[in-house]
Amino acid sequence: MSNKPEYIFAIDIIIEEFKLTNPILISEKIAEELDMEVSIFQVMDYLEISKENWKLESQKIEYYETNY
């Protein structure tokens, strides 16, 4: 198993299950459904990192599609 903090798995589960994108709602739903405390700032940071990774991967795909 990887070294990811538990809150990352909680965020992923809530986003996938409830189709939420609002960090406030995600944080509240984690507290309600999983009985965990995850701050809104942790959710915001994780969503920003995920967005950056998605952009980077998209750029790689676009590069390979254009050049190969």
Side-chain angles (χ1 to χ4, degrees), residues 28-39:
E28 290 175 353
K29 196 57 108 168
I30 289 171
E32 179 183 310
E33 296 291 327
L34 302 175
D35 199 28
M36 286 178 64
E37 291 296 322
V38 178
S39 75

Side-chain angles (χ1 to χ4, degrees), residues 41-58:
F41 298 108
Q42 287 175 309
V43 175
M44 289 171 52
D45 287 344
Y46 177 68
L47 292 176
E48 187 61 34
I49 290 169
S50 295
K51 185 171 125 186
E52 288 173 8
N53 287 343
W54 185 85
K55 285 181 184 178
L56 180 64
E57 291 302 318
S58 295

